[in-house]
Amino acid sequence: MKKNYFLRTAILLVTLLCGVNAGWADTYTKISTLDELTDGKYVIAYGNTYAMKNEMSGTRIAATEITVTDNSILNPDASIVWDITTTENGKSISNGDLYAGNGGNSNAASLGSFTAEKCEFTFSIVKDLFRATNVQYSNRSLEYNASGKYFACYKNTQPDLTLYKLEETGKSNPNLAFTGITGDVTKQLTDGSYSSVATSASDATIVYSSSDHEVATINQKGLVTLVAGGTTTIKAEVAETATYDAAFVEYTLKVVDPALVKTFTKVTNGSVTDGQYIIVYQESDEATSVRAMNTTNTKDYFMYTDVNLTEGKIVTDDQSIIWDITTQANGYMSISNGDNIFAGYRGSGNNAYIYEEYTPDNSDWTFTFADGFFSCENKAVPGRLLQYNANSPRFACYTGSQENLTLYKLDEDPATGIENVEVANMKIINGKGQVTIETTEAARVAVYALTGAQVRQLDLVEGTNIVELPAGIYVIGRQKVIVF
């Protein structure tokens, strides 16, 4: 198969703009004939939507979503890249030491060590799609189940396969990589800057970029400067040369602005009043993490974010999981995130939708509390509850058959109800590892964490007081203090 330089370049550009994970510019292109099916590396897919992954899903092989541009996949994750190799009785399909096979069980598949015939397949073409028929059980083919979203061996009743094959370019891998950075990075805004230099074997110049200059910038020496809280993608790339392929490497940088970090406490008294909440599925009272409903809704349900608990509370600056619950004029409550994301129900199926503006009835909810959990019922369709589905992990509307909700509410004043002292004319100066407190009178004042827990007591003298504290956010004398 000949390399199409312009197509390859276009695919690389589109993929970079779309934020695909880092890697050498390996292009896997759709094939459509048996002559093209030679030994090599492949992505085994259902059309342009799902690919077979190197892990089991029960008694089947798992599937994961893919992005296809102009019949090609750029830099697929190693978990979906399979070696198709000629064997004595057909071809094997392997990912490392895992071989796809069929043990004869109905509508199942396996991953394990190679076993002759069981782990061998013969390929044919059916309506421009590939069929992989098991050698040991010739009435069963490796196919995709669109309902269950997995791959297994069926009696030719499911959609057949699309194969994407690795293009061989004849050029070398530039081995582009960031120095000392192997995954996503989280920085405190108070860190200021850090080095993100990349190295490459290519003779092309390394070009650096940040996807959001309002969060962080990077100069062409690889120095990242933090600007504000948020998330951006830091990227290094090299162009194609006569010797080396084009490549890019990137990671997600999260910048945390300590002033935006909020603490949410579990609601246990059944009261839901106007305010900011995190809506979660919590497996038990002893759980150390929860699944929080976020604003991602592309298939008529809301996705989730795994969130760790800190002393039983949620401490976060992630705006995508923070929801405003507001009482409307009709007495019902809306669930919103910003001005154009309202959670609602349209009246059919186990779904939940985003409305771009408050829509009475569809966007109205009633909260009730029982046995430690909240039920959230839709006004438009009584009996439809916003719940968490543990089997197909997501938040959507069900008829009471799934998991009810736990609510965490914003601690608007973490020190409320705790005895503290208002010190006259107290001036607090934030510092690195310490705070300077200038007062006009002696006093005893408490230092609280944002969770509301008392950290220590301070005996202040008139004048200047230097207090050593670990980096973090505190409340001193009713004032928020940031130590970096």
Side-chain angles (χ1 to χ4, degrees):
M1 181 168 47
K2 294 182 179 180
K3 170 186 170 187
N4 185 324
Y5 174 83
F6 295 103
L7 173 61
R8 183 184 182 85
T9 304
I11 294 170
L12 175 60
L13 177 60
V14 170
T15 308
L16 287 171
L17 292 174
C18 293
V20 175
N21 289 336
W24 184 27
D26 283 340
T27 302
Y28 287 69
T29 301
K30 179 181 176 181
I31 64 172
S32 56
T33 67
L34 288 175
D35 290 340
E36 296 174 286
L37 184 57
T38 57
D39 289 5
K41 294 186 178 297
Y42 294 82
V43 173
I44 299 171
Y46 169 56
N48 60 2
T49 55
Y50 285 89
M52 190 166 79
K53 191 175 181 180
N54 64 349
E55 64 182 45
M56 294 296 292
S57 175
T59 59
R60 287 98 172 181
I61 301 176
T64 187
E65 292 187 77
I66 55 175
T67 299
V68 178
T69 304
D70 291 337
N71 289 325
S72 292
I73 303 172
L74 191 66
N75 298 321
D77 188 85
S79 65
I80 64 171
V81 174
W82 299 84
D83 289 296
I84 296 182
T85 308
T86 301
T87 58
E88 182 177 356
N89 303 300
K91 293 182 182 294
S92 64
I93 302 171
S94 63
N95 183 296
D97 296 329
L98 298 176
Y99 286 81
N102 177 36
N105 295 327
S106 176
N107 300 341
S110 62
L111 289 175
S113 301
F114 176 79
T115 302
E117 296 190 348
K118 171 186 174 182
C119 296
E120 294 177 292
F121 296 85
T122 59
F123 285 82
S124 57
I125 296 285
V126 180
K127 295 180 180 179
D128 297 325
L129 297 172
F130 286 89
R131 176 166 291 169
T133 303
N134 188 257
V135 171
Q136 183 169 350
Y137 299 94
S138 58
N139 65 335
R140 293 196 172 271
S141 298
L142 180 64
E143 298 169 2
Y144 176 75
N145 186 313
S147 299
K149 292 184 174 59
Y150 44 67
F151 289 82
C153 292
Y154 297 92
K155 292 183 178 180
N156 304 333
T157 59
Q158 302 294 332
D160 292 303
L161 308 176
T162 299
L163 300 184
Y164 296 86
K165 185 179 181 181
L166 173 65
E167 284 190 27
E168 299 293 342
T169 69
K171 296 188 177 183
S172 299
N173 184 343
N175 295 316
L176 179 67
F178 284 109
T179 301
I181 296 175
T182 58
D184 293 340
V185 172
T186 298
K187 292 285 185 180
Q188 298 292 314
L189 180 60
T190 49
D191 291 339
S193 63
Y194 68 97
S195 176
S196 184
V197 174
T199 59
S200 173
S202 175
D203 50 349
T205 300
I206 299 175
V207 178
Y208 298 95
S209 63
S210 169
S211 63
D212 191 341
H213 287 186
E214 293 185 358
V215 175
T217 62
I218 183 169
N219 66 20
Q220 294 313 303
K221 292 183 179 181
L223 179 67
V224 177
T225 300
L226 310 179
V227 178
T231 301
T232 186
T233 300
I234 301 298
K235 182 185 303 177
E237 56 187 302
V238 291
E240 187 174 22
T241 68
T243 307
Y244 292 94
D245 259 314
F248 70 93
V249 62
E250 63 182 23
Y251 61 88
T252 298
L253 167 64
K254 180 180 180 181
V255 180
V256 178
D257 183 349
L260 299 179
V261 175
K262 299 177 180 179
T263 300
F264 294 77
T265 300
K266 184 177 179 181
V267 180
T268 58
N269 61 3
S271 174
V272 182
T273 56
D274 289 7
Q276 290 191 315
Y277 291 81
I278 297 179
I279 300 169
V280 310
Y281 163 65
Q282 183 165 344
E283 188 173 353
S284 68
D285 287 338
E286 293 75 29
T288 58
S289 66
V290 297
R291 288 189 165 179
M293 187 172 86
N294 64 35
T295 55
T296 300
N297 188 314
T298 57
K299 295 186 176 179
D300 304 334
Y301 53 82
F302 288 94
M303 293 302 296
Y304 64 87
T305 300
D306 287 312
V307 179
N308 291 328
L309 296 178
T310 303
E311 297 180 354
K313 299 190 177 187
I314 298 175
V315 181
T316 185
D317 67 337
D318 185 353
Q319 299 301 307
S320 72
I321 63 172
I322 299 175
W323 297 87
D324 290 300
I325 296 180
T326 307
T327 304
Q328 299 296 330
N330 58 11
Y332 288 87
M333 298 188 122
S334 63
I335 302 171
S336 63
N337 186 297
D339 295 330
N340 59 356
I341 298 178
F342 287 84
Y345 183 66
R346 291 182 182 169
S348 63
N350 298 328
N351 301 312
Y353 298 86
I354 284 179
Y355 285 85
E356 294 185 355
E357 59 183 14
Y358 168 66
T359 306
D361 295 348
N362 301 88
S363 302
D364 286 333
W365 304 92
T366 300
F367 289 89
T368 57
F369 187 72
D371 300 325
F373 298 99
F374 286 92
S375 295
C376 181
E377 185 176 34
N378 185 255
K379 178 188 176 185
V381 184
R384 281 286 174 177
L385 306 178
L386 180 62
Q387 295 182 314
Y388 175 78
N389 186 329
N391 297 318
S392 300
R394 60 193 183 190
F395 289 85
C397 290
Y398 301 91
T399 54
S401 59
Q402 302 298 332
E403 306 290 344
N404 281 326
L405 309 175
T406 301
L407 299 182
Y408 283 73
K409 187 176 183 182
L410 174 66
D411 287 347
E412 296 179 354
D413 185 357
T416 297
I418 303 174
E419 183 179 355
N420 205 340
V421 176
E422 290 287 0
V423 182
N425 299 316
M426 182 172 72
K427 180 180 179 182
I428 301 177
I429 304 171
N430 302 331
K432 187 173 183 179
Q434 66 182 30
V435 294
T436 300
I437 304 177
E438 297 177 355
T439 69
T440 58
E441 61 181 38
R444 168 167 284 192
V445 63
V447 179
Y448 298 96
L450 273 183
T451 59
Q454 183 171 309
V455 176
R456 58 189 291 190
Q457 290 266 357
L458 303 178
D459 288 311
L460 303 178
V461 299
E462 181 181 347
T464 301
N465 300 261
I466 304 297
V467 182
E468 302 288 337
L469 288 170
I473 306 175
Y474 304 92
V475 177
I476 303 177
R478 309 293 188 186
Q479 298 182 45
K480 183 183 286 186
V481 178
I482 302 172
V483 179
F484 55 93

